[in-house]
Amino acid sequence: MDQTNVQSLVEQVLSEYHHGGRNGLTIPIAVSARHVHLSQAHVEALFGAGYQLTHKADLSQPGQFAAEETVIIAGPKGCLERVRILGPARGESQVEISRTDAFKLGLNPPLRLSGDIKGSSPVTVIGPKGSVHLSQGLIIAQNHIHMTPEDAAAFNVEHGQCVKVKVKSERPITFENVLIRVSDRYKLEMHIDTDEGNAALISTRGEGILIPSHTPGVIHS
């Protein structure tokens, strides 16, 4: 293939990505605000013995919901009030915040995939009936894309792969090292935090163009 044909092919591929990706496929993007996942033991420590979280609204991922209950997150320099709990209860408690939130708390949590809390930052969670000090569990969540196996086949990506996503907005930016998570329990959606949403001028929801790469990621269940 001569240089002219190579350049023509490159321009065609870039044009496809610019106008919605190959096959016209785009990624829905959701801004995930600060939130808490609690173990059942910690639910009871904060709200009382035998307490069960109250369903407020379904989330986009099947089986997940926003609870009516909120808590206070406390650090050495300040607090974050009315932080929403997401249900159902998990095996381990975890708090996900933005970098801006971390400055207010006076803490330095690592950037991690949700569920990867080993060695992460300590934090205190305060409820109406008590408080819990987590020796680890505070993280800044790494952006990622939930996909079904059918979605992964359509986008020609696989579980654990890292890709780029170009946000379609008034301030288009490209996120790199976005991790693909594939499960038949998922619904197609990319999750970013509020700092990332503000940078791209997305308040709650948007969409982006997936740009494949072959960079492996690290998946933590």
Side-chain angles (χ1 to χ4, degrees):
M1 184 179 293
D2 61 36
Q3 187 61 37
T4 301
N5 288 337
V6 170
Q7 183 62 31
S8 176
L9 180 59
V10 169
E11 290 175 357
Q12 177 186 344
V13 171
L14 291 177
S15 177
E16 288 172 341
Y17 288 138
H18 180 72
H19 291 96
R22 292 190 175 187
N23 303 318
L25 297 175
T26 58
I27 296 288
I29 300 174
V31 178
S32 181
R34 66 178 79 108
H35 59 270
V36 179
H37 300 281
L38 292 175
S39 67
Q40 181 57 35
H42 287 163
V43 169
E44 297 187 31
L46 297 174
F47 294 93
Y51 195 90
Q52 298 292 318
L53 294 174
T54 308
H55 182 283
K56 176 180 174 67
D58 288 328
L59 300 177
S60 60
Q61 296 306 309
Q64 305 295 304
F65 64 89
E68 292 281 0
E69 292 80 11
T70 63
V71 291
I72 298 170
I73 305 302
K77 289 188 176 180
C79 296
L80 301 171
E81 298 185 353
R82 299 187 60 79
V83 180
R84 184 72 56 191
I85 300 172
L86 303 187
R90 289 191 174 187
E92 290 186 279
S93 294
Q94 173 181 300
V95 181
E96 299 181 32
I97 63 173
S98 69
R99 185 63 172 168
T100 299
D101 292 333
F103 292 145
K104 183 172 182 179
L105 293 175
L107 294 169
N108 187 30
L111 179 68
R112 296 281 185 84
L113 193 65
S114 180
D116 179 16
I117 63 172
K118 185 176 181 180
S120 59
S121 178
V123 70
T124 298
V125 184
I126 304 170
K129 299 291 186 180
S131 65
V132 172
H133 179 73
L134 304 179
S135 59
Q136 59 182 16
L138 181 69
I139 65 169
I140 298 170
Q142 178 183 345
N143 52 34
H144 55 278
I145 301 172
H146 292 285
M147 287 187 175
T148 65
E150 293 75 18
D151 293 325
F155 281 96
N156 194 28
V157 295
E158 60 185 21
H159 185 68
Q161 182 178 341
C162 282
V163 298
K164 298 179 182 180
V165 176
K166 181 178 180 180
V167 178
K168 299 168 67 175
S169 72
E170 293 181 78
R171 183 187 286 167
I173 61 175
T174 299
F175 291 109
E176 301 196 15
N177 299 321
V178 181
L179 192 67
I180 300 293
R181 305 187 76 175
V182 179
S183 170
D184 55 13
R185 304 189 312 271
Y186 292 155
K187 178 181 177 181
L188 180 64
E189 192 170 63
M190 176 178 174
H191 289 173
I192 61 177
D193 70 19
T194 50
D195 284 351
E196 293 168 318
N198 289 339
L201 294 184
I202 299 175
S203 56
T204 55
R205 306 194 68 83
E207 63 178 19
I209 301 166
L210 186 148
I211 304 172
S213 69
H214 296 285
T215 306
V218 178
I219 290 289
H220 299 270
S221 325

